[in-house]
Amino acid sequence: MKTFYLLIITIILNLHSTSIQATERHRVKIIVNNWTSQVVLSYITGDIFKQMGYQVIYQPMAISEQWGALAYGVSDVQVEVWEGTMAEPFNRMVEDGLFMSAGEHSAKTREDWWYPDYIEKLCPGLPDWKALKACAPLFAREGSNQKGVYFAGPWEKPDEARIRALEMDFVVHTVENGDDLWVELEKSLTALQPIVLFNWTPNWVESRYQGKFVEFPAYDRKCETESSWGENKEFLYDCGNPKGGWLKKAASIQLKTEAKCAFNTLQNINFTNQQISAVSALVDVEKLSYQQAATRWLTENKRLWKTWIVTDCKL
Ligand code: TMO
């Protein structure tokens, strides 16, 4: 009897989906980048779309590849566009109508040079960048020729340009995988060796370690466009990254025109600093898989995410 009912339901569902196939697309392609919270939020978003009846495809991709993918409709969704690393291409291409913003999360973000607190004893004056500049030799590593080493992530930032503009005696060491940053951090903490590295907030690191961002000259758009602006009159990038930066969602034009329910739901999806930091800690501290972290979050926050799903939906 049970099987019979299931069969009927399946037939009805199938008929229903064929009847709307012409107007509504049933497949959503989600870009998966390479830092923890983005991966978990992608899976959470994907599971919400699946609940709505969409078929979801995950597409692992570097930040630099995602813009073209969104513009050509190869991909539909990127759930974490960070102002500090991505504002320039994002703003330009949204302005050109190549893809769209699907709104902002509540979370406020910052991405910049960061150090663990114990270094303040060795380098008085931190977090001011001038103190860091004076302490450069403290951050030297084997083979760096007495220059300080800054550990950068695999996400393009104009760090070399900033070092040059602020005349800092530093070199950039770019790690291959984002997670290698935490390997370097742990190594330095164990050896009580000074380290300055790329970090961001919200992230799991703040739930585990005391530390601070270096305070470079405050960000201003002109810092990236007018060399005469700021500390150095000849060079660009003589400033830090934005504080209190935005965190946005990107969507392809096709998502809006062909999968309206998914687009409208994406607009409602909204994470806070605390939530993003907590989901990344599930993976990086508690060692859950990305999917396990997403499932845990969905189980514990049903009431919230169900309000994100648009109700006037014919899928
Ligand atoms: C884009 N990221 C959060 C890694 O800086």
Side-chain angles (χ1 to χ4, degrees), residues 162 165-166 217 223 227 229-233 235-240:
R162 183 194 283 174
L166 294 177
C223 168
S227 11
W229 180 93
E231 198 82 17
N232 187 319
K233 304 296 166 209
F235 292 127
L236 299 175
Y237 297 113
D238 43 352
C239 66

Side-chain angles (χ1 to χ4, degrees), residues 60-160:
M61 210 177 284
I63 293 175
S64 55
E65 299 169 324
Q66 72 190 5
W67 312 119
L70 285 165
Y72 286 104
V74 170
S75 305
D76 296 308
V77 174
Q78 207 285 68
V79 292
E80 274 193 22
V81 179
W82 290 59
E83 179 173 4
T85 34
M86 295 172 241
E88 195 277 321
F90 178 83
N91 287 338
R92 178 165 41 81
M93 293 176 84
V94 167
E95 229 159 81
D96 289 348
L98 297 172
F99 53 81
M100 331 191 26
S101 168
E104 241 172 81
H105 293 281
S106 307
K108 288 289 168 233
T109 61
R110 187 169 181 187
E111 303 162 273
D112 224 321
W113 294 29
W114 184 95
Y115 62 87
D117 269 352
Y118 65 85
I119 295 167
E120 289 183 350
K121 285 200 213 80
L122 307 168
C123 181
L126 281 175
D128 193 288
W129 70 276
K130 285 183 177 150
L132 183 71
K133 179 172 168 165
C135 293
L138 204 60
F139 297 86
R141 299 288 170 125
E142 217 178 289
S144 76
N145 243 333
Q146 293 310 305
K147 287 176 186 289
V149 172
Y150 164 68
F151 290 90
W155 307 284
E156 255 171 70
K157 292 293 309 163
D159 291 306
E160 312 257 5

